[in-house]
Amino acid sequence: MGATYPLVFLILLLLHGTKAASDPPVPGWLTLSGRRPLVIARGGLSGVVPESSQLAYSMAMGSSLCEVVLFCDLQFSSDGVGFCHGSLRLDNSSNIAEKFADRGSTYQVNGRDVQGWFSLDFKSEELHSVLLVQNVLSRSNTFDRTQELLSLDNVVQSVLAQKGELHVIWVNIEYNSFFLEHGLSGEDYILGLPKEFPVTRVSSPEFAFLKSLSGKVRSDIKLIFRFLREDLVEPTTKRTYGELLKDLKSIKAFASGILVPKQFIWPQNKDMYLEPSTSLVKDAHALGLEVYASGFANDDPCMSYNYSYDPSAEILQFIDNSDFSVDGVLTDNPPTASGAIVCMAHTKGNAFVFPIAKDGAPPGVEANVRPLIITHNGASGVFSDSTDLAYQQAVKDGADIIDCWVRMSKDGVAFCLGSTDLNSSTTAATTFLEKMTTVNEIQNKSGIFSFDLLWSEIQTLKRAKQDILLILFCQRFAYTNIDVTCFLFTGAANLVGPFADARLERNPAAKNAGKFMTLAEFLDFAKASNITGILIGIEHATYLIARSLDVVDAVSKALVKSGYDKETCKQRVLIQSEDAPVLAAFKTFPKFQRVLTIEFDISDASKPSVDEILEFANAVKLRRSSAARVNGFFLEGFTNSLVDRLHAGNLHVYVGVLKNEFMNLAFDYWADPLVEIATDTLSVGADGIVTEFPATAAAYFRSPCANYERKDLPYMIAPATPGGLLQLAATGSVPPAPPPAPVLQPQDILQQQLPVCPNDPMFRTFRCRLGPKETPTGKPEYNINMASLDD
């Protein structure tokens, strides 16, 4: 039997996607009706839980726009009962092959023999005992075998139980000819639906079936012709769907609209970049046909690179352009579509809803201010990190703070790069393999390090973007027309099998594009840009001193030369390091904010540790896993006491690094990067978010939903609810919670000290400490030699 869900489920639905009953008119919609597009939930919230389950439909209704349409792919039992299931074969997403091991069959479907377990071989009573499982392995299997296969009657009961809601049902009959061959008529079923069933649309890819319904269905039911792949043959007209696409008038004779794969509207080339849009939507609208686009899923590994793995950006491409808008989107993630329509549409060019806090303002969440958008190596989700193109894109995308992590060449040139190991982001291995070495003070693997190459040698290297690897298995079953089942695993792409392995790349067309920037060039670019400020990151200072390379001195001189130390400079300067002595060195510049990197998980911070941090820093940067506790990709809770304690100590808190890719997100964020941004802003209370995709963060903060106090919007992008999904999980499906992260103590902060300056002043050309002296409090204070700044 399916699981019974407690009150926490209702709380989860109310908090994770909040909505209001009001529906103010929004000018500018280019839909056929002029109203906002519909959100159509394919099998409910199937991007999170098993599709077409009670849980999926309930979550879709509770977390999406009020008028969300529930999409039911209808399959028939032997006694003529309609069940909602997205595939003709049931064994791919249920336990039916285990429960009825000897009941598999082989049927001819669209001219091909298909082996599996089919609904028409079972009575409705048997199908009700079948339990659903997740068939997309990038999604959680935590809810497997907790949900029963549902009949359409079950779904109707769920809808009617939502008092005061406007939810309706869309029935799709994909294989009417197949069922008709076996004595089961889709036409009889649809015409026999009770009047109280809130079915408002019926679709099918079969021409004759929809024509037979025309003029017979209730007046409030629209008939929608579903297009399959252009090369496939429609079974009754014997014409390809590509041919029918050019004859929309024949469809208008019996249908109110068409449902098409999204590529029919915005095609992608073989390299997964967008091509110009087709005229399909405008042509159909000219005939009075509505157009619905299908194939949307937040974890679609074949999403165009143009969207930078932001699923809202993809939906906006179809609903918010100056040329057309589809009338609805069929999606596995209806909350994301709801947010795109209500929150993100018609906001291009908008100013930020709230400004950032004034420089020098106390930390913590204030009314009517927003967190800083801080880049991680520029817009490194779009271009190779720390290149001129990455910084230009970051400024264009609306970043507040652009960052430069300073590296040193062998001959002392300071430049920006995400890692001192050139092998991780350049083509260094192809030219300087003999320079490969291991430096345990920096990392526990071999690398080609910047301090071993001259600047002239580094400049010969090409940039190489770091891609996130996964193995992608896509199987197009012979019996299907358009369904593709994708199985995703992170790891090395070396598995041999009947599937294609693929790389989840970032903008591969620009893989080697972009130039290195010296620190001086970076500062010149920043000063000429409309940004709030810069962040300068410093690592491995102690080791570099041993190599006669003084990175702190190089940074200090460059900032002074660029005038960043002057009070007249309007841009902020953040200095970030995990080395306390490095940050202490910059106390000489009171204008600069000093940010301590805490690159290990903590659950809280003791008061002595906060006091220790305040000796040399006035901000901290936390890992995402320190701000929000995650267990097995599920959000367990927030470390509110940690952030509150740091804020109480007058320390600003920055959280990162945020990335758009779905496998980087906890399941509770529903594969939507905007939900994590909302969570870090509203629940964690971060003063800044560090991100590789500043455009995504900027888009959120420009949207009306960034003002969570607004009551006039029909939907809000709400923060995730910690523990909500965990409490809905099947018993034993989630591993035991790991032990809590440690509480930060003073000894965790104290790093290897910079070397003591020698007595002979001639050696004071590199950063060093003069040695401890007693302060009035009796505590030692380390002074950094600043003499070299006057050179």
Side-chain angles (χ1 to χ4, degrees):
M1 295 293 291
T4 300
Y5 293 94
L7 179 61
V8 68
F9 174 52
L10 298 178
I11 297 174
L12 169 69
L13 297 184
L14 290 172
L15 293 183
H16 199 35
T18 58
K19 50 191 180 180
S22 59
D23 182 11
V26 177
W29 287 120
L30 298 178
T31 56
L32 185 63
S33 67
R35 304 290 295 175
R36 67 184 177 219
L38 287 177
V39 176
I40 309 153
R42 191 192 70 84
L45 186 51
S46 55
V48 177
V49 296
E51 61 102 354
S52 301
S53 63
Q54 177 69 52
L55 183 56
Y57 283 123
S58 296
M59 291 180 75
M61 288 187 285
S63 63
S64 310
L65 277 164
C66 288
E67 70 270 22
V68 64
V69 179
L70 304 182
F71 192 85
C72 167
D73 266 303
L74 210 64
Q75 318 297 334
F76 292 106
S77 66
S78 60
D79 48 349
V81 176
F83 282 80
C84 298
H85 190 267
S87 176
L88 184 63
R89 266 180 54 185
L90 304 183
D91 49 299
N92 190 43
S93 53
S94 77
N95 71 339
I96 193 168
E98 301 171 18
K99 189 174 183 64
F100 303 102
D102 59 348
R103 302 275 294 276
S105 303
T106 300
Y107 287 103
Q108 192 170 81
V109 183
N110 294 332
R112 297 180 180 179
D113 287 339
V114 180
Q115 185 177 11
W117 277 252
F118 299 84
S119 61
L120 54 75
D121 290 328
F122 299 87
K123 293 182 178 180
S124 57
E125 182 180 356
E126 294 175 306
L127 291 179
H128 274 300
S129 69
V130 172
L131 301 180
L132 299 171
V133 300
Q134 182 60 261
N135 68 338
V136 180
L137 298 190
S138 64
R139 302 171 183 176
S140 174
N141 64 356
T142 301
F143 310 99
D144 286 2
R145 305 169 194 275
T146 66
Q147 301 288 299
E148 298 170 351
L149 192 63
L150 295 183
S151 67
L152 178 60
D153 296 53
N154 298 143
V155 179
V156 168
Q157 291 170 12
S158 297
V159 171
L160 295 179
Q162 304 292 315
K163 303 297 184 183
E165 298 285 356
L166 308 173
H167 307 302
V168 294
I169 299 172
W170 178 322
V171 173
N172 180 66
I173 301 181
E174 198 90 350
Y175 302 99
N176 182 68
S177 295
F178 169 73
F179 285 112
L180 197 58
E181 290 175 5
H182 300 278
L184 298 166
S185 170
E187 179 181 350
D188 291 345
Y189 183 87
I190 294 297
L191 295 178
L193 290 176
K195 290 183 179 180
E196 63 270 18
F197 274 29
V199 174
T200 60
R201 287 168 180 81
V202 174
S203 63
S204 177
E206 297 189 8
F207 202 92
F209 170 58
L210 288 183
K211 285 191 71 173
S212 70
L213 290 175
S214 181
K216 300 177 184 178
V217 294
R218 301 193 317 250
S219 59
D220 61 336
I221 293 180
K222 294 182 178 182
L223 300 180
I224 310 295
F225 184 72
R226 184 171 195 177
F227 279 86
L228 305 181
R229 287 199 341 251
E230 291 188 60
D231 60 321
L232 293 176
V233 176
E234 194 280 321
T236 55
T237 64
K238 306 304 179 184
R239 301 168 68 188
T240 66
Y241 288 99
E243 293 171 332
L244 290 173
L245 198 63
K246 300 173 184 178
D247 186 18
L248 295 179
K249 287 184 179 179
S250 65
I251 295 171
K252 175 59 179 174
F254 60 85
S256 299
I258 56 176
L259 173 63
V260 300
K262 59 187 180 183
Q263 291 84 0
F264 281 27
I265 299 169
W266 283 100
Q268 290 180 199
N269 62 27
K270 61 181 179 60
D271 297 318
M272 291 175 56
Y273 286 94
L274 289 180
E275 295 183 338
S277 64
T278 68
S279 62
L280 174 60
V281 176
K282 296 176 73 173
D283 293 344
H285 281 177
L287 294 172
L289 284 169
E290 296 174 330
V291 181
Y292 301 95
S294 66
F296 294 93
N298 289 8
D299 54 359
D300 177 7
C302 301
M303 186 183 294
S304 171
Y305 296 124
N306 297 78
Y307 305 127
S308 295
Y309 298 102
D310 180 354
S312 292
E314 181 182 34
I315 290 173
L316 290 174
Q317 189 78 11
F318 289 79
I319 66 169
D320 186 20
N321 63 71
S322 60
D323 204 25
F324 63 83
S325 170
V326 297
D327 299 282
V329 291
L330 177 61
T331 174
D332 290 8
N333 298 85
T336 296
S338 299
I341 292 169
V342 174
C343 302
M344 314 305 292
H346 306 124
T347 61
K348 291 178 181 177
N350 281 13
F352 289 114
V353 173
F354 294 129
I356 56 175
K358 293 181 179 179
D359 194 12
V365 178
E366 297 182 26
N368 302 326
V369 297
R370 64 170 175 84
L372 287 167
I373 302 172
I374 305 171
T375 66
H376 184 244
N377 304 315
S380 54
V382 181
F383 290 104
S384 294
D385 80 75
S386 307
T387 57
D388 56 342
L389 296 179
Y391 291 126
Q392 292 166 19
Q393 188 68 42
V395 173
K396 177 182 177 182
D397 289 344
D400 298 306
I401 306 290
I402 59 174
D403 68 311
C404 169
W405 284 85
V406 181
R407 311 301 170 187
M408 300 295 289
S409 67
K410 186 176 182 179
D411 49 346
V413 176
F415 66 101
C416 305
L417 193 62
S419 171
T420 194
D421 180 5
L422 299 172
N423 196 40
S424 64
S425 59
T426 76
T427 58
T430 62
T431 311
F432 298 103
L433 189 59
E434 74 279 1
K435 299 283 189 177
M436 186 80 71
T437 186
T438 300
V439 180
N440 292 322
E441 294 90 336
I442 293 179
Q443 63 186 32
N444 59 2
K445 63 178 182 179
S446 296
I448 301 173
F449 298 98
S450 65
F451 46 74
D452 286 329
L453 271 68
L454 299 172
W455 176 238
S456 59
E457 294 174 318
I458 293 173
Q459 287 180 295
T460 67
L461 302 176
K462 291 183 179 180
R463 300 309 312 274
K465 287 176 54 44
Q466 289 181 291
D467 303 317
I468 298 179
L469 272 178
L470 54 80
I471 298 174
L472 165 65
F473 302 101
C474 288
Q475 181 174 11
R476 189 179 299 278
F477 293 101
Y479 69 88
T480 70
N481 292 315
I482 59 171
D483 293 341
V484 176
T485 303
C486 295
F487 306 89
L488 298 169
F489 299 92
T490 57
N494 58 2
L495 187 68
V496 178
F499 308 101
D501 46 31
R503 183 186 297 265
L504 198 62
E505 295 179 298
R506 292 175 167 182
N507 193 16
K511 184 173 184 177
N512 299 123
K515 299 177 181 178
F516 291 100
M517 292 189 77
T518 65
L519 175 58
E521 291 170 338
F522 170 82
L523 295 177
D524 288 344
F525 170 77
K527 290 201 77 172
S529 300
N530 183 24
I531 55 173
T532 300
I534 59 172
L535 182 150
I536 303 298
I538 299 176
E539 294 179 313
H540 319 306
T542 302
Y543 178 80
L544 290 173
I545 285 177
R547 299 291 299 263
S548 299
L549 294 169
D550 189 352
V551 62
V552 177
D553 183 62
V555 169
S556 302
K557 284 184 174 179
L559 289 171
V560 169
K561 185 175 181 180
S562 296
Y564 273 97
D565 61 323
K566 303 293 191 294
E567 290 297 328
T568 55
C569 180
K570 300 300 182 182
Q571 289 186 354
R572 304 182 192 181
V573 178
L574 284 64
I575 305 293
Q576 183 174 331
S577 180
E578 63 180 352
D579 295 328
V582 168
L583 295 177
F586 287 93
K587 292 176 71 174
T588 308
F589 303 98
K591 183 177 181 292
F592 297 175
Q593 185 179 71
R594 302 176 304 280
V595 184
L596 175 67
T597 306
I598 303 179
E599 279 302 324
F600 51 90
D601 288 342
I602 58 174
S603 60
D604 204 345
S606 66
K607 188 177 186 306
S609 69
V610 174
D611 294 338
E612 185 67 40
I613 294 172
L614 288 169
E615 292 291 320
F616 55 84
N618 40 29
V620 297
K621 183 269 175 182
L622 298 177
R623 291 165 57 90
R624 295 159 65 229
S625 48
S626 289
R629 301 192 312 274
V630 175
N631 174 25
F633 277 91
F634 286 95
L635 195 62
E636 237 181 10
F638 301 123
T639 53
N640 298 97
S641 58
L642 167 62
V643 176
D644 291 346
R645 195 182 304 278
L646 294 171
H647 280 162
N650 204 33
L651 289 166
H652 289 78
V653 178
Y654 306 132
V655 174
V657 175
L658 276 63
K659 304 173 184 179
N660 283 1
E661 288 87 355
F662 61 86
M663 67 277 204
N664 187 62
L665 301 171
F667 289 134
D668 301 75
Y669 297 135
W670 295 352
D672 188 343
L674 293 178
V675 175
E676 182 174 26
I677 293 170
T679 302
D680 286 341
T681 301
L682 300 169
S683 296
V684 174
D687 301 289
I689 55 174
V690 184
T691 176
E692 296 180 349
F693 295 89
T696 302
Y700 171 77
F701 291 123
R702 287 191 175 102
S703 77
C705 291
N707 181 358
Y708 203 65
E709 298 300 318
R710 287 190 60 166
K711 305 299 183 185
D712 60 327
L713 296 174
Y715 185 83
M716 292 291 285
I717 300 173
T721 306
L725 283 180
L726 273 175
Q727 294 192 47
L728 302 177
T731 303
S733 63
V734 179
V743 175
L744 186 69
Q745 300 295 343
Q747 59 267 29
D748 300 322
I749 302 166
L750 299 176
Q751 303 291 326
Q752 176 71 36
Q753 297 283 351
L754 293 174
V756 177
C757 296
N759 293 328
D760 191 338
M762 66 178 293
F763 292 104
R764 295 187 184 181
T765 57
F766 59 89
R767 190 64 53 190
C768 57
R769 60 186 175 92
L770 294 175
K773 68 178 183 179
E774 292 298 317
T775 65
T777 61
K779 296 179 64 178
E781 181 181 272
Y782 292 99
N783 295 324
I784 304 299
N785 174 27
M786 304 301 294
S788 61
L789 292 180
D790 301 324
D791 293 348

